[in-house]
Amino acid sequence: MASKLGGLGWVPDAALVSTARRTRETARHMAERFPESSFDYDDSLYLVGERGLADTISDYDGIGTLMIIGHNPGIHDLAISIMRASGSADHRASMRLAAKMPTGACALYESEEDGAFLPVHFLLQNFLRPKDFPDLAG
């Protein structure tokens, strides 16, 4: 997925990562693809809900592109909440996101506003799932 994100021009300035084993493994692969990005590990992301994630994201105001590597249901709930607040540039992406956020999926949002994290400013641009890319199998 890191290669797919990079190929689309989505390069994180920073990544916020849960300290769970699987998320650290994912972050290791992302860091290989994005060596210029900083990776911050946070114990509180393991069982955090939508509101806690939003509060943590607010700590990163001013970062250009932030990647979050976390867990469901919190990450999926937050992704849907942001989409409901601001909408989507891609109807099919919004339908896939609403249905399920499987392991390895990426919800990509863009904001025209610099500054504080306000979900209403973030429009869903794309939603990528590993199964969308048969070349990733194996």
Side-chain angles (χ1 to χ4, degrees):
M1 291 302 288
S3 294
K4 299 301 179 188
L5 290 172
L8 292 172
W10 288 81
V11 177
D13 295 302
L16 179 58
V17 184
S18 165
T19 56
R21 181 183 51 82
R22 288 182 68 190
T23 51
R24 288 192 327 261
E25 289 172 0
T26 298
R28 187 184 80 240
H29 294 294
M30 291 291 179
E32 289 171 1
R33 176 63 171 86
F34 305 116
E36 67 282 359
S37 304
S38 66
F39 286 77
D40 298 331
Y41 297 84
D42 187 334
D43 290 330
S44 71
L45 294 182
Y46 186 68
L47 295 174
V48 72
E50 170 189 342
R51 183 70 201 153
L53 277 169
D55 289 345
T56 302
I57 290 169
S58 292
D59 294 341
Y60 287 80
D61 286 349
I63 294 291
T65 300
L66 178 65
M67 175 186 292
I68 303 167
I69 303 174
H71 307 277
N72 280 327
I75 198 86
H76 188 217
D77 292 344
L78 178 64
I80 289 173
S81 177
I82 295 169
M83 181 181 67
R84 285 185 180 143
S86 62
S88 175
D90 182 332
H91 180 69
R92 289 179 20 175
S94 65
M95 297 303 290
R96 291 191 316 268
L97 172 60
K100 184 179 180 183
M101 187 163 199
T103 299
C106 304
L108 309 172
Y109 294 88
E110 222 170 60
S111 174
E112 292 186 16
E113 301 287 328
D114 288 334
F117 171 66
L118 297 171
V120 72
H121 292 162
F122 287 81
L123 187 68
L124 179 69
Q125 298 296 315
N126 207 336
F127 181 65
L128 309 175
R129 303 166 300 181
K131 77 177 194 175
D132 296 332
F133 305 100
D135 58 313
L136 296 179

